[in-house]
């Protein structure tokens, strides 16, 4: 009987737990269920063969997940990786993309479910957004329950989270924002800053980039709370300022392990070149901006107007918030002005530049609009729960802003507000205003009307979220994993027979970071932390390179040799690809080996410091390299013009022998160049075409298409006299004009062999290497420079025969080491700049937080003991 009684109590306790936290569970689970429903409808795995990793998550984040999993499972250093970019600072990638604690799931998940791990983490994060916002509403505004759940779901499924959700590294900060602001309010009004400090510390650690915007907002929000503080005195204000400053600095110190390495790396990226705008401009028309608040408007995923949607019902509640007699007038004015300032900032270039970390981002406009959304929902919720203060007779005025907005959008013919969007919002506004009126009047059906109002709001939010996620689209999961096993097998075969330091690339690109996805020591990299010097040099050498990415597209025999690309993976099976020879195959994937690869380093003349690498003709850059490195006067490439194109649907002018400008007149315009070989020759062509959709290249061997308008070298191959090559540029109908640079290069293979023979006389024989160290010997025939294919960046220390020496920047992007004649032991060691002081500061901040928590715990125990004595 006693045992049965205990079991009964245990069951009762479980029921009480579920009942006690039912609203929190709903706030967490509803967003997950809604998003999962959208994924199921689109056939996302395991309900189909699709994945949710769109845009940059396809090209960057999933490959970075793969590399993070590799490092954790192999207990490899987090400081540096050879898997992409010729080598790159990995701690900065971790700080920008991978610091979320939820990424620990990668340790448990198999390698063939990395994309699915991405989806699981996304679902968990939007669930946490709902949970934290519910916590804020219930604790700071004093009322929880089903209504708070619905408004929390609104935050979790806002236009920002739906449109930019594929940037899952941002979502930790979105989830933490309500807790941070709750803590800040407690800091000011209850003199308790611990919640604020801990939440902000975690936020900065998880993603320093979004934390910049949050920190700027916190300064404004703190000022707002000071204004709203009751019974203010100079002493109370001073104490609040002290707590705010102290906890903010402590939180920043906790994130130093991420902030300092990231800061050091960002100084060498393109982002560091951003200049403060001098003229005021606005991004979009007011009608378009306001139109982003409406339901059924497709979310912005990459380009367009900022994501502002948080429910049409919220637009109706804001006027009711202003008219609400139960809400303090000063509070209404201050929160409204703050929201208005945020909206203005989203559309004004100078303010947007400041908000986004003194930087103009590439795409994804309005990256801080989640703060504006938070303010709108907060005001709307307060206005709703205090609905007893709604006006008795003028509640219908709440529909005026929505109706004006709809009429304005129709009058201005806003592009993304179609007829169906207009009528959906008209219908919703009509239903909402009827239900608001029924809820405002004092009669028996008032409660039912309120429930119907909240239910309709939930349906709107959930329906709009499913639509938005479906509008975002999905990717082919099978294609992403299709060659994973084959690459692993070939990679293993190479490792079993070759213990030297080599690089391996992929010939056909699926994503920008394919080599990182496959954990290959390659040269391609797409990351916001890309080294600007290396990126620029890769562009000058004829590779595809733009802003924060460069890839293997544009390779030549020369770049394969000097960058140590020893192995190549390709879907094609043929005897040779450039200087690569077929070696092996596995499941449709072919392995090629390049015996011309010069290793990780080789001796060159000191004239390499005068290498003219800034030319816009990559063939001349390669010729200049050969001359500077070896002293040879032989040309690797003879540049030539392709001639005048045949224009269809446009007009064209020849500006120079290699440069053309065109004016677009009709849809489907094309420019076609035809080249006929006058003798047997090996030809490469470099193109750079602005505002062209595609380049089609047709040769006697077949055809190929390229969509990179920033251009790169294209291998035409060996032509016989009389062979014809056709180059067709398809113009982008969205633009009226553009330019095209087109340069041909006749390759002298004998000059190439001469260069290789000269450079392989003194190579660096690397016999020991890790992720952060290279060591080996080199026999220098004469004084010169050891040219390495290691990116030049802060963090590398070079030792020659045990003595530290100063490295040189070769071509502005690679490390060169001055050596005297004779045999030398050369060692390079990498330490992530800023990491050691960063981790010391973080540990110190963690210790202080621990002491504060310990002191608080001791204080509580003391109070309990005092009560017991009484």
């Amino acid at each position: 009987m006693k045992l049965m009684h205990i079991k009964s109590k245990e069951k009762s306790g479980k029921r009480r737990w579920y009942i006690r936290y039912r609203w929190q569970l709903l706030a967490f689970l509803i967003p997950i269920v809604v998003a999962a429903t959208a994924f199921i409808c689109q056939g996302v795995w395991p309900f189909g063969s699709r994945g949710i990793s769109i845009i940059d998550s396809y090209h960057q984040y999933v490959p970075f997940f793969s590399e993070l999993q590799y490092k954790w499972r192999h207990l490899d250093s987090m400081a540096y990786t050879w898997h992409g970019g010729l080598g790159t600072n990995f701690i900065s990638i971790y700080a920008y993309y991978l610091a979320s604690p939820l990424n620990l799931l990668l340790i448990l998940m198999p390698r063939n479910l990395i994309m699915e791990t991405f989806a699981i983490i996304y679902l968990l994060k939007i669930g946490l957004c709902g949970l934290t916002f519910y916590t804020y509403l219930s604790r700071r505004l004093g009322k929880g329950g089903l209504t708070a759940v619905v408004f929390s779901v609104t935050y979790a499924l806002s236009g920002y989270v739906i449109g930019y959700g594929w940037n899952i590294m941002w979502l930790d900060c979105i989830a933490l924002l309500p807790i941070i602001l709750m803590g800040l309010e407690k800091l000011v009004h209850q003199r308790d800053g611990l919640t604020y400090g801990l939440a902000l510390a975690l936020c900065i650690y998880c993603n320093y980039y979004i934390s910049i915007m949050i920190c700027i907002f916190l300064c404004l929000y703190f000022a707002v709370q000071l204004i709203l503080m009751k019974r203010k005195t100079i002493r109370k204000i001073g104490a609040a300022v002290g707590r705010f400053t102290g906890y903010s600095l402590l939180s920043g110190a906790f994130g130093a392990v991420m902030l300092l390495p990231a800061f050091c790396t960002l100084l060498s990226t393109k982002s560091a070149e951003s200049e403060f705008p001098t003229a005021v401009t606005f991004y979009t028309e007011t009608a378009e901006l306001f139109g982003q608040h409406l339901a059924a408007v497709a979310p912005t995923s990459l380009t367009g107007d900022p994501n502002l949607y948080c429910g049409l019902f919220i637009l109706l509640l804001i006027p009711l918030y202003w008219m609400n007699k139960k809400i303090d007038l000063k509070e209404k004015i201050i929160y409204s002005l703050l929201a208005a300032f945020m909206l203005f900032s989203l559309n004004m270039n100078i303010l947007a530049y400041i908000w986004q970390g003194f930087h103009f981002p590439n795409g994804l406009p309005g990256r801080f609009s989640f703060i504006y959304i938070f303010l709108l929902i907060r005001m709307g919720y307060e206005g709703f729960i205090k609905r007893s203060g709604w006006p008795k007779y003028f509640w219908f005025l709440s529909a005026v802003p929505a109706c004006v907005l709809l009429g304005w959008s129709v009058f201005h013919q806003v592009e993304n507000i179609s007829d169906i969007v207009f009528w959906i919002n008209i219908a919703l506004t009509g239903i909402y205003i009827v239900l608001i009126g029924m809820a405002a009047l004092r009669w028996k059906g008032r409660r039912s009307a309120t429930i119907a109002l909240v239910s309709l709001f939930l349906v709107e939010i959930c329906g709009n979220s499913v639509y938005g996620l479906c509008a975002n689209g999905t990717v082919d999961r099978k294609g992403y994993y299709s060659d994973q096993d084959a690459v692993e097998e070939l990679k293993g075969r190479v490792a079993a027979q070759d213990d030297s330091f080599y690089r391996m690339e992929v010939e056909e690109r699926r994503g920008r970071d394919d080599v990182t996805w496959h954990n290959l020591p390659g040269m391609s990299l797409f990351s916001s932390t890309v080294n600007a010097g290396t990126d620029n040099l890769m562009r000058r050498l004829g590779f595809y390179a733009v802003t924060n990415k460069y890839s293997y597209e544009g390779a030549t025999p020369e770049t394969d040799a000097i960058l140590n690309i020893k192995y190549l993976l390709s879907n094609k099976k043929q005897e040779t690809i450039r200087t690569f020879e077929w070696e092996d195959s596995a499941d449709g994937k072919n392995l090629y080996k390049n015996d011309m690869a010069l290793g990780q380093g080789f001796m060159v003349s000191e004239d390499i410091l005068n290498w003219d690498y800034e030319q816009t003709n990559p063939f001349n850059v390669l010729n200049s390299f050969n001359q500077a490195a070896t002293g040879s006067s032989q040309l690797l490439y003879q540049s030539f013009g392709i001639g005048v194109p045949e224009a269809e649907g446009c007009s064209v002018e020849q500006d120079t022998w290699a440069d053309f400008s065109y004016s677009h007149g009709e849809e489907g315009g094309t420019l076609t160049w035809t080249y006929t070989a006058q003798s047997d020759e090996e030809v490469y062509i470099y193109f750079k075409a602005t505002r062209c959709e595609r380049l089609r290249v047709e040769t006697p061997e077949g055809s190929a298409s390229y969509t990179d308008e920033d251009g790169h070298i294209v291998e035409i191959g060996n032509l016989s006299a009389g062979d014809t090559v056709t180059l067709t540029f398809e113009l982008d109908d969205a633009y009226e004009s553009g330019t095209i640079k087109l340069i041909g290069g006749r390759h002298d293979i004998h000059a190439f062999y001469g260069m290789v023979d000269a450079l392989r006389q003194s190579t660096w024989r690397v016999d020991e290497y890790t992720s952060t160290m290279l060591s080996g010997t080199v026999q220098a025939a004469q004084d010169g420079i050891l040219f390495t294919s290691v990116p030049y960046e802060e963090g590398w220390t070079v030792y020659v025969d045990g003595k530290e020496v100063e490295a040189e920047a070769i071509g502005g992007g690679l490390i060169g080491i001055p050596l005297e004649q004779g045999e030398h032991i050369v060692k390079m060691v990498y330490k992530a700049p800023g990491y050691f002081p960063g981790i010391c500061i973080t540990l110190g901040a963690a210790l202080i937080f621990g002491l504060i928590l310990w002191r608080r715990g001791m204080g509580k125990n003391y109070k309990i003991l005092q009560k017991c004595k009484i």
Side-chain angles (χ1 to χ4, degrees):
M1 289 292 292
K2 190 175 182 181
L3 184 61
M4 289 177 63
H5 179 67
I6 292 172
K7 286 183 177 179
S8 176
K9 284 187 72 174
E10 286 178 354
K11 274 190 173 183
S12 175
K14 287 181 180 178
R15 283 197 297 270
R16 284 197 297 270
W17 185 90
Y18 286 117
I19 292 171
R20 183 179 178 183
Y21 295 104
R22 63 191 182 280
W23 304 123
Q24 288 90 336
L25 286 171
L26 283 173
F28 176 75
L29 292 174
I30 290 176
I32 294 176
V33 171
V34 172
T37 301
F39 297 155
I40 292 170
C41 292
Q42 296 178 88
V44 172
W45 189 91
F47 302 96
S49 61
R50 309 298 295 176
I52 71 165
S53 302
I54 61 172
I55 315 177
D56 287 354
S57 61
Y58 181 92
H59 293 284
Q60 293 185 80
Y61 313 156
V62 172
F64 291 156
F65 269 31
S66 173
E67 181 64 10
L68 181 63
Q69 185 187 70
Y70 175 90
K71 282 190 169 291
W72 278 345
R73 290 187 174 181
H74 290 80
L75 301 178
D76 194 22
S77 170
M78 295 288 287
Y80 202 81
T81 180
W82 297 112
H83 298 158
L86 299 172
T88 189
N89 181 324
F90 188 74
I91 195 68
S92 63
I93 291 177
Y94 179 81
Y96 192 88
Y97 297 101
L98 302 167
S100 171
L102 290 177
N103 290 346
L104 290 169
L105 282 172
L106 288 167
I107 298 175
L108 305 176
M109 300 297 284
R111 176 159 166 70
N112 62 355
L113 288 179
I114 290 179
M115 185 181 283
E116 289 61 47
T117 306
F118 179 93
I120 292 169
I121 291 173
Y122 170 74
L123 293 173
L124 290 174
K125 287 185 179 182
I126 63 172
L128 288 172
C129 287
L131 177 60
T132 57
F133 198 80
Y134 179 87
T135 303
Y136 175 86
L137 293 180
S138 59
R139 295 191 181 182
R140 296 312 302 167
L141 296 180
K143 189 169 183 180
L146 184 59
T147 301
V149 169
V150 174
F151 280 80
S152 301
V153 170
T154 303
Y155 180 73
L157 298 177
S158 65
Y160 185 96
V161 174
I162 297 301
Y164 293 160
W166 47 275
N167 292 284
I168 60 170
M169 69 278 191
W170 295 353
L171 296 184
D172 299 78
C173 297
I174 314 306
L176 285 166
L177 178 65
I179 304 300
I180 295 169
L181 297 183
M182 180 182 76
L184 182 55
E185 292 177 20
K186 288 176 65 178
L187 180 148
V188 174
H189 304 295
Q190 298 175 19
R191 295 181 295 174
D192 180 3
L194 187 59
T195 300
Y196 166 76
L198 290 172
L200 181 59
L202 182 58
C203 181
I204 294 172
Y205 177 89
C206 287
N207 190 266
Y208 67 85
Y209 177 65
I210 296 297
S211 295
I212 293 172
M213 306 167 203
I214 290 177
C215 288
I216 295 173
F217 177 70
L218 289 175
C219 296
L220 297 176
Y221 201 72
F222 175 68
V224 165
Q225 297 308 313
L226 284 183
I227 294 171
L228 296 176
M229 181 190 288
K230 296 178 180 179
R231 294 185 292 277
K232 289 189 286 288
T233 63
I234 294 177
R235 184 176 179 181
K236 287 178 68 176
I237 292 174
V241 170
R243 285 192 298 272
F244 176 70
T245 304
Y247 276 108
S248 297
L249 291 175
L250 188 59
S251 299
F254 183 84
V257 69
M258 297 288 108
L259 293 175
L260 291 184
F263 176 75
C264 293
T265 301
L266 288 175
L267 289 177
S268 64
T269 67
K270 292 281 186 181
S271 300
E273 301 172 4
S274 184
E275 295 182 359
F276 199 94
T278 56
V280 175
T281 59
F282 294 91
Y283 294 122
T284 187
E285 294 181 2
T286 307
E288 288 188 17
L289 187 67
F290 285 160
Q292 290 297 105
H293 295 81
L294 298 177
V297 171
T300 295
S301 292
L302 188 60
T303 58
D305 297 322
N307 286 304
L308 305 177
Y309 174 79
C310 53
L312 180 64
F313 184 45
I314 295 293
L315 289 185
L316 303 177
L317 287 177
I318 297 301
L320 293 173
Y321 171 82
W322 293 333
M323 294 186 288
N324 199 313
K325 298 175 182 178
K326 293 285 184 76
I327 301 174
D328 183 65
L329 178 61
K330 182 168 68 172
E331 179 181 333
K332 288 189 284 191
I333 292 172
I334 290 174
Y335 278 112
S336 298
L337 288 175
L338 185 58
F341 176 72
M342 295 302 302
L343 183 61
F344 183 73
S345 298
L346 287 164
N347 201 34
M348 204 268 257
N349 66 324
I350 294 178
L351 289 174
Y353 178 86
I354 295 171
W355 278 103
Q356 293 169 136
F358 293 87
H359 170 61
F360 284 125
N362 183 22
L364 285 74
R367 300 186 181 193
F368 55 98
S369 64
F370 66 93
I371 300 173
Y372 170 74
I373 288 171
F374 175 93
L375 291 171
L376 284 192
I377 300 174
R378 185 204 181 282
M379 290 190 293
Y381 180 73
E382 186 172 8
F384 185 77
I385 61 172
K386 296 179 179 179
R387 54 190 173 276
S388 59
W390 287 356
K392 294 181 180 179
Y393 306 109
F394 298 101
W395 45 264
F396 61 87
L397 293 177
S398 62
V400 171
C403 292
V404 169
L405 173 58
L406 287 166
W408 194 1
S409 64
V410 171
F411 179 77
H412 284 268
Q413 296 181 335
V414 177
E415 185 177 350
N416 59 351
I417 302 179
S418 61
D419 290 343
I420 189 169
V421 171
F422 175 80
W423 289 113
I424 286 173
N425 283 275
I426 284 290
L428 281 173
T429 301
I431 299 172
Y432 276 133
I433 201 64
V434 170
L435 292 175
I436 286 173
M438 296 172 67
L441 298 174
R442 290 180 173 80
W443 65 299
K444 291 182 179 180
R446 183 180 184 184
R447 179 176 174 79
S448 299
T450 303
I451 294 172
L453 196 58
V454 173
S455 300
L456 179 61
F457 183 32
L458 181 61
V459 170
E460 179 204 337
I461 291 297
C462 294
N464 197 84
S465 302
V466 172
Y467 163 70
L469 289 169
C470 291
N472 287 344
T474 57
V475 295
D476 177 26
R477 174 187 181 273
K478 287 185 177 179
Y480 210 84
Y481 290 108
S482 60
D483 58 353
Q484 190 178 55
D485 293 337
V487 170
E488 281 295 314
E489 186 173 345
L490 291 174
K491 189 170 67 170
R493 293 178 192 175
V494 171
Q497 64 184 19
D498 190 344
D499 60 356
S500 67
F501 187 93
Y502 54 80
R503 289 200 172 92
M504 183 182 291
E505 261 292 346
V506 292
E507 178 75 351
E508 298 85 14
R509 176 177 57 81
R510 179 188 59 242
R512 293 292 179 191
D513 283 323
D514 282 353
V515 293
T516 305
W517 164 247
H518 290 300
N519 311 124
L520 300 175
M523 62 84 59
S524 303
L525 182 63
F526 176 20
S527 166
S528 293
T529 62
V530 157
N531 183 299
T534 309
D535 177 87
N536 178 63
L537 180 58
M538 294 304 108
R539 178 185 298 106
R540 301 305 183 188
L541 288 170
F543 289 108
Y544 169 79
V546 55
T547 310
N548 56 0
K549 63 178 82 74
Y550 51 89
S551 72
Y552 189 62
E553 284 181 303
T556 61
E558 289 75 20
T559 52
D560 286 331
I562 65 179
L563 297 180
N564 195 25
I565 311 297
K566 190 174 182 179
Y567 295 98
L568 185 65
L569 297 171
S570 175
N571 298 330
K572 299 177 291 188
K573 184 175 182 180
Q574 53 197 50
E575 289 186 9
T576 62
I577 297 178
R578 293 185 297 281
T579 54
F580 291 88
E581 296 183 354
W582 185 88
E583 180 99 349
D584 204 348
S585 64
D587 196 20
K589 206 75 174 178
N590 296 280
L591 174 69
Y592 294 81
K593 186 179 180 182
N594 180 21
D595 289 326
M596 297 294 106
L598 289 168
Q600 190 63 1
F602 47 87
M603 292 299 298
V604 298
S605 167
E606 291 178 345
D607 290 341
I608 196 67
L609 298 176
N610 301 317
W611 176 21
D612 187 7
Y613 63 90
E614 288 287 7
Q615 302 177 73
T616 57
N617 181 344
F619 301 123
N620 286 344
V621 172
L622 292 168
N623 288 335
S624 177
F625 171 83
N626 185 31
Q627 184 177 9
T630 69
S632 172
S633 59
Q634 273 193 299
L635 294 180
L636 297 167
Y637 292 89
Q638 262 190 345
S639 299
F640 63 92
I642 310 297
V644 179
E646 178 183 338
E648 184 177 335
C650 64
S651 60
V652 62
E653 292 184 5
Q654 187 169 8
D655 303 320
T656 70
W657 67 274
D659 296 286
F660 303 82
S661 56
Y662 64 85
S663 298
H664 202 179
E666 303 174 12
E667 290 187 7
T670 60
L671 290 171
T672 303
W673 278 265
T674 302
Y675 171 74
T676 302
Q678 301 301 310
S679 60
D680 294 351
E681 56 190 13
E682 184 183 2
V683 174
Y684 289 80
I685 289 178
Y686 172 75
F687 79 96
K688 183 178 176 65
T690 61
R691 299 167 182 172
C692 288
E693 287 190 337
R694 182 169 58 168
L695 163 63
R696 292 199 316 273
V697 179
E698 298 177 31
T699 70
E701 296 297 322
S703 62
S705 294
Y706 305 91
T707 57
D708 298 318
E709 65 174 27
D710 287 275
H712 52 79
I713 291 175
V714 174
E715 180 187 5
I716 302 300
N718 291 305
L719 299 176
S720 300
D723 284 347
T724 298
V725 177
T726 303
L727 309 168
T728 304
F729 290 89
E730 299 176 5
L731 310 184
D732 191 340
D733 295 335
Y735 300 95
E736 295 182 356
S737 62
T739 60
I740 293 176
K741 179 183 285 291
L742 197 58
I743 305 173
R746 295 187 183 96
H747 187 225
D748 186 341
I749 192 66
H750 300 293
F752 165 70
Y753 288 143
M755 183 193 78
V756 171
D757 288 342
L759 295 177
R760 69 177 10 156
Q761 297 302 313
S762 299
T763 59
W764 185 23
R765 296 184 298 278
V766 176
D767 49 33
E768 187 180 357
Y769 59 89
T770 66
S771 293
T772 56
M773 185 273 292
L774 295 170
S775 180
T777 60
V778 59
Q779 180 71 46
Q782 58 188 18
D783 293 356
I785 302 290
L786 178 63
F787 180 103
T788 78
S789 53
V790 179
Y792 182 87
E793 59 182 308
E794 187 181 354
W796 281 108
T797 303
V798 179
Y799 301 92
V800 176
D801 301 326
K803 296 181 180 179
E804 184 177 339
V805 299
E806 190 73 25
E808 300 281 356
I810 307 299
L814 299 175
I815 291 178
I817 305 169
L819 293 179
E820 296 179 350
Q821 182 181 5
E823 186 176 45
H824 302 282
I825 298 174
V826 178
K827 185 176 183 180
M828 297 175 61
V829 179
Y830 184 82
K831 293 181 180 179
Y835 181 71
F836 180 73
I839 197 168
C840 291
I841 295 171
T842 293
L843 291 174
L847 178 62
I848 295 173
F849 271 126
L851 290 173
I852 293 172
L853 286 167
W854 176 79
R855 184 180 177 184
R856 174 168 294 193
M858 290 296 291
K860 287 182 178 179
N861 291 335
Y862 178 77
K863 288 180 181 179
I864 292 171
L865 289 173
Q866 288 293 104
K867 287 181 179 179
C868 290
K869 288 179 181 179
I870 290 171

